Amino acid sequence: MINAVYNGANITLAVLDNRTTAMTGHQPHPGVGITALGNVSKAIDIADVVRSCGVEYVKIVNTVDPDSLESCIKAAKEAMNFNGPSVLVFKGKCVGITKPDKYYKINPEACTGCGFCIKELGCPVINLDGDKPVIQDNCSGCGLCAQICLQKPSV
Ligand code: SF4
Ligand code: SF4
């Protein structure tokens, strides 16, 4: 980011802050505010770090409200229209932490078989069964498919 500011690069950096280290076991990191020994510590704020590099356009985007997909797209468009380096911090807890008790399934009556969820989303628990997708039992309940499907898969 320092180089981007220094050279006036017209880029947008997206930070996906899921409040954990999800890919390697959900251990804490300096942005979380809990040390590896479980002690409370001062959390490093990603937006502050970016601002300290001289970035003028920094926005935190909440990803957990029901309209989050649209607000994320709007925020991304605005940041990309900014002349100069811009940073978005998309912030929301990983479903591996929140463990929603809500799982999704596709209503075969409503599904048009457009295939958008298979081709564009790439969720590993959505598979084709004939010409219609089905959601397997190990759905994590993240709700992303419900946001992108125009037919809204039902719970
Ligand atoms: S995006 Fe929705 S309508 Fe299209 S195939 Fe998937 S579940 Fe069916
Ligand atoms: S996108 Fe999320 S809610 Fe939808 S099937 Fe995949 S894990 Fe479940």
Side-chain angles (χ1 to χ4, degrees):
M1 286 318 301
I2 292 170
N3 274 325
V5 171
Y6 188 66
N7 292 298
N10 202 17
I11 62 167
T12 297
L13 175 75
V15 180
L16 311 182
D17 180 4
N18 62 3
R19 313 308 298 144
T20 188
T21 319
M23 297 299 282
T24 50
H26 293 288
Q27 68 271 39
H29 61 68
V32 173
I34 302 282
T35 69
L37 296 176
N39 300 321
V40 175
S41 188
K42 179 175 167 51
I44 303 298
D45 186 282
I46 295 170
D48 284 348
V49 173
V50 171
R51 284 189 198 99
S52 74
C53 297
V55 179
E56 291 173 13
Y57 190 109
V58 184
K59 278 202 175 160
I60 297 169
V61 187
N62 174 11
T63 64
V64 293
D65 70 63
D67 301 321
S68 59
L69 183 60
E70 280 172 21
S71 55
C72 290
I73 292 170
K74 183 169 177 280
K77 285 181 177 167
E78 285 171 4
M80 289 163 75
N81 282 335
F82 181 76
N83 191 21
S86 56
V87 174
L88 293 170
V89 182
F90 292 103
K91 198 167 184 175
K93 281 186 181 169
C94 170
V95 288
I97 303 174
T98 56
K99 298 194 185 309
D101 54 3
K102 184 173 165 183
Y103 304 103
Y104 287 75
K105 64 182 181 183
I106 291 166
N107 176 356
E109 307 295 318
C111 173
T112 61
C114 71
F116 192 64
C117 54
I118 299 269
K119 287 182 279 191
E120 299 295 327
L121 186 57
C123 171
V125 305
I126 306 179
N127 305 113
L128 268 181
D129 181 15
D131 59 350
K132 297 271 178 83
V134 288
I135 295 176
Q136 307 300 320
D137 292 343
N138 45 352
C139 163
S140 68
C142 73
L144 189 55
C145 55
Q147 292 190 54
I148 65 138
C149 172
L150 293 177
Q151 308 306 322
K152 304 287 179 209
S154 53
V155 178

